[in-house]
Amino acid sequence: SSHSYSSWSLAPTVTSASAAMFSKLLGFAGLALALAVEEGSFALDDECLAGDAECALNALQLRGAAMTSDEPENATEADEGDSLEGGWYQGGDKVWGAGSGTESINGGNVGYYNSGMAAAHARCGGPGCALIINPPGHRSINRAHIHFVHYGGYGHSLKSRLEKKVCGHGGWHGGGLPCGGKAKFYPGFPGVFSAAMSGGNIAHASVIAWPASCGGGGTIVEIAYGCSIEHQIRGDFNPRMR
């Protein structure tokens, strides 16, 4: 009948209009999410809110790393490493241990994790080295592992900034450091995680040790909250991979 024909002929028109409207709604939702992510990424470092141009550039460089986990680790490294003293073992340019990471560290077991950082230091302890553990949410394997790396250009710049802040000055110093973080100089090579815990809770922080700092006299311990800057320090950061 004509009534039946009319019902069938209208159906594609209604469906097409609905699809177009749904597509527009998805577009608006995507735009709102992108704006929210962009706004949130710059809130990582309070100094950027004060109009610090260098800090703003640093926050832009860190945007991807702060919102995502570090690049996938090689799972084989975690299972087939060379055994070290103290229950740690080496796989690739990392030392691997028990527990998940910084969130597993407490006053009762911090000595064990200090020994892991010491093992990393034994493999990269010069002035061009950085020793890094990433926080939860910014790593791809939830097994404690410490990177020992020779840093690139960003790492050199960051270490220079750190030295200006802490060399010859006692206590913790922040302001203009990645992810609202802070740093402190220690003579020699301390128990790094014990040192970091003296600055507050590290359960959701990156902990970075910079050996042979301040003219080779000691180590800078840096805390960066809720982000990973490992690949910036390495010099292989690729925003397209974030």
Side-chain angles (χ1 to χ4, degrees):
S1 67
S2 60
H3 176 74
S4 175
Y5 175 82
S6 176
S7 298
W8 282 100
S9 63
L10 284 173
T13 302
V14 173
T15 302
S16 298
S18 299
M21 180 62 71
F22 184 66
S23 177
K24 288 181 179 179
L25 289 173
L26 284 178
F28 287 133
L31 177 59
L33 178 60
L35 290 173
V37 168
E38 182 171 357
E39 181 180 358
S41 66
F42 285 96
L44 289 170
D45 193 331
D46 291 340
E47 293 298 311
C48 297
L49 301 179
D52 186 326
E54 181 181 2
C55 178
L57 175 60
N58 181 56
L60 180 62
Q61 292 170 331
L62 296 177
R63 181 188 304 175
M67 300 304 294
T68 61
S69 60
D70 59 341
E71 276 184 23
E73 310 288 355
N74 183 346
T76 304
E77 292 179 356
D79 298 322
E80 299 180 1
D82 297 326
S83 180
L84 307 174
E85 292 183 3
W88 291 81
Y89 49 97
Q90 180 179 347
D93 59 355
K94 310 169 190 68
V95 293
W96 299 80
S100 300
T102 53
E103 71 272 35
S104 300
I105 303 173
N106 58 56
N109 63 21
V110 67
Y112 168 75
Y113 291 96
N114 286 340
S115 71
M117 191 64 84
H121 179 250
R123 282 149 185 79
C124 195
C129 293
L131 316 175
I132 309 161
I133 187 168
N134 292 317
H138 300 273
R139 61 188 184 228
S140 53
I141 294 180
N142 287 319
R143 186 182 302 181
H145 55 286
I146 301 167
H147 303 258
F148 51 91
V149 308
H150 292 277
Y151 55 71
Y154 173 84
H156 183 273
S157 174
L158 177 56
K159 184 176 181 180
S160 294
R161 281 199 287 153
L162 290 165
E163 288 182 321
K164 289 178 182 178
K165 283 185 176 293
V166 305
C167 294
H169 307 287
W172 289 94
H173 299 271
L177 296 179
C179 307
K182 56 188 176 182
K184 182 178 179 179
F185 173 77
Y186 289 86
F189 190 78
V192 170
F193 291 107
S194 294
M197 289 173 68
S198 76
N201 191 321
I202 61 170
H204 298 282
S206 293
V207 176
I208 306 160
W210 302 85
S213 295
C214 300
T219 304
I220 295 174
V221 176
E222 179 185 5
I223 304 172
Y225 296 103
C227 75
S228 167
I229 55 173
E230 172 213 336
H231 289 282
Q232 283 88 342
I233 292 172
R234 283 179 180 273
D236 63 0
F237 176 69
N238 182 358
R240 294 182 180 179
M241 299 296 292
R242 300 294 155 175

